[in-house]
C-alpha cells in the first residue's frame, strides 16, 4: 500500500476516533470510567504512533516524496516544519483551549467548583506545560540546525554524486528525529494532563487538523478551477 492510501485510511480512522472521544461521558465519576477514558487516550496515542512508524518506512524508501507530501494540501505543506506539524504547536493549543474552557466555566470556577477540564489546569500543570514548552523549543532548534547544515551542503550534491545516497540517508535521520519529537511531545502532554483533559486535547488537535485540511482542499480546488 502506498503512503498516500495509508494516509487516507489513517485520516478516516482519526475521524472515527474523534467521534468516540466526543461521545465519551465526562467528567468521570468512577474508577472504571477513568480506566475507559485512559484506554481511549491510549488508542489515539497508538494511532499517531502507527502513523509515524509507517511514515518512517516510506521515508527510507523515498524521503523526498515524504518531504513533498503529495497527500497534503498546499496550505498544510506551507505550515509544515520538517514534513509535519511543529511540536510546540501542542503547547499553544493547550493554552488556547484552557482559556476557552476557563471562560465558559468562569462563574463555576469562581465559586470554587472544579470542572476537571482543560480550563481547570492546576498551577503545577501550568508550570509543567511551560517547562516542557521550553525544552521542546530547544529540541526543535537543534533539529532545525541539523537540517540547515544539510541544506548548506546542497551544492555538494552536484559535485560529488557518489555522496548522494549518504546525503539522503542523513535527511531520513533528520526527518525521523523530527517525527520522534512530535510523538514524544504527544506523550509528554498526555502524561501531564488527566485522561479527561487528554481527551479534550486530542479533540481540539484533530479539529484543528480537520479544519486546516478542509480549508486547504477548498483553496486547492479553487486554484485548480482558476
Amino acid at each position: 500500500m502506498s503512503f498516500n492510501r495509508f494516509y487516507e485510511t489513517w485520516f478516516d480512522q482519526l475521524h472515527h476516533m474523534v467521534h468516540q472521544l466526543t461521545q465519551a461521558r465526562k467528567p468521570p465519576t468512577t474508577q472504571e470510567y477513568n480506566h475507559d477514558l485512559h484506554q481511549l487516550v491510549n488508542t489515539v496515542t497508538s494511532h499517531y504512533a502507527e502513523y509515524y512508524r509507517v511514515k518512517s518506512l516510506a521515508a527510507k524508501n523515498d524521503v523526498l516524496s515524504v518531504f513533498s507530501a503529495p497527500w497534503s494540501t498546499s496550505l498544510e505543506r506551507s505550515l509544515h516544519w520538517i514534513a509535519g506539524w511543529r511540536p510546540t504547536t501542542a503547547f499553544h493549543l493547550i493554552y488556547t483551549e484552557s482559556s476557552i474552557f476557563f471562560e465558559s466555566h468562569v462563574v463555576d470556577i469562581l465559586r470554587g467548583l472544579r470542572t476537571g477540564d482543560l480550563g481547570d489546569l492546576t498551577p503545577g500543570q501550568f508550570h509543567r506545560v511551560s517547562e516542557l514548552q521550553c525544552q521542546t523549543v530547544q529540541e526543535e532548534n537543534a533539529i532545525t540546525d541539523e537540517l540547515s547544515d544539510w541544506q548548506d551542503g546542497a551544492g555538494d550534491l552536484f559535485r560529488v554524486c557518489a555522496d548522494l545516497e549518504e546525503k539522503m540517508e542523513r535527511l531520513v535521520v533528520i526527518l525521523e528525529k523530527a517525527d520522534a519529537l512530535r510523538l514524544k511531545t504527544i506523550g509528554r502532554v498526555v502524561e501531564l494532563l488527566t485522561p479527561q483533559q487528554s481527551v479534550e486535547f486530542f479533540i481540539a488537535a484533530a479539529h484543528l487538523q480537520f479544519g486546516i485540511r478542509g480549508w486547504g482542499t477548498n483553496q486547492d480546488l479553487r486554484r485548480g478551477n482558476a
Side-chain angles (χ1 to χ4, degrees):
M1 179 185 294
S2 68
F3 190 78
N4 289 41
R5 290 179 58 194
F6 165 79
Y7 184 79
E8 290 177 4
T9 301
W10 182 89
F11 197 73
D12 287 342
Q13 291 173 340
L14 182 61
H15 272 281
H16 177 68
M17 290 180 179
V18 170
H19 176 72
Q20 289 182 307
L21 294 176
T22 304
Q23 295 300 311
R25 293 171 299 158
K26 50 185 181 290
T29 57
T30 66
Q31 186 62 35
E32 180 180 355
Y33 189 66
N34 266 314
H35 176 72
D36 291 342
L37 270 186
H38 185 70
Q39 287 298 104
L40 279 174
V41 170
N42 284 343
T43 297
V44 179
T45 303
S46 296
H47 190 57
Y48 281 105
E50 176 66 4
Y51 168 75
Y52 291 118
R53 185 189 71 80
V54 178
K55 184 181 175 185
S56 176
L57 295 175
K60 287 182 172 67
N61 182 58
D62 186 355
V63 66
L64 296 182
S65 176
V66 173
F67 266 86
S68 64
W71 51 86
S72 299
T73 65
S74 299
L75 175 62
E76 288 174 300
R77 287 191 290 272
S78 74
L79 298 172
H80 278 176
W81 170 80
I82 310 185
W85 56 278
R86 185 175 287 275
T88 44
T89 302
F91 303 105
H92 296 301
L93 189 61
I94 290 175
Y95 292 131
T96 299
E97 290 300 306
S98 178
S99 177
I100 292 173
F101 274 97
F102 179 84
E103 290 177 3
S104 66
H105 300 306
V106 64
V107 175
D108 291 335
I109 293 174
L110 291 176
R111 290 168 56 192
L113 300 177
R114 302 301 300 272
T115 59
D117 55 29
L118 281 172
D120 196 22
L121 293 175
T122 67
Q125 284 178 309
F126 271 117
H127 178 70
R128 185 62 177 146
V129 169
S130 179
E131 283 186 334
L132 287 177
Q133 183 179 11
C134 292
Q135 183 178 347
T136 305
V137 167
Q138 293 177 343
E139 294 178 73
E140 272 186 7
N141 290 341
I143 299 172
T144 299
D145 288 344
E146 285 193 52
L147 181 61
S148 295
D149 289 342
W150 186 91
Q151 292 170 333
D152 286 343
D156 297 336
L157 295 176
F158 300 99
R159 293 194 298 269
V160 188
C161 294
D163 292 339
L164 181 58
E165 183 175 348
E166 182 180 343
K167 292 282 289 186
M168 292 301 105
E169 289 176 353
R170 185 181 171 200
L171 187 59
V172 171
V173 171
I174 294 171
L175 174 60
E176 289 180 335
K177 286 184 179 181
D179 282 345
L181 180 57
R182 283 184 264 265
L183 187 59
K184 183 166 66 172
T185 300
I186 292 174
R188 288 168 168 173
V189 167
V190 169
E191 286 179 1
L192 69 87
L193 298 178
T194 67
Q196 178 186 340
Q197 291 166 344
S198 295
V199 164
E200 291 161 352
F201 166 78
F202 278 132
I203 291 173
H207 283 170
L208 177 62
Q209 186 175 358
F210 298 157
I212 291 174
R213 185 169 183 81
W215 197 83
T217 298
N218 290 335
Q219 292 300 307
D220 285 349
L221 289 174
R222 287 182 183 179
R223 286 170 38 235
N225 294 329

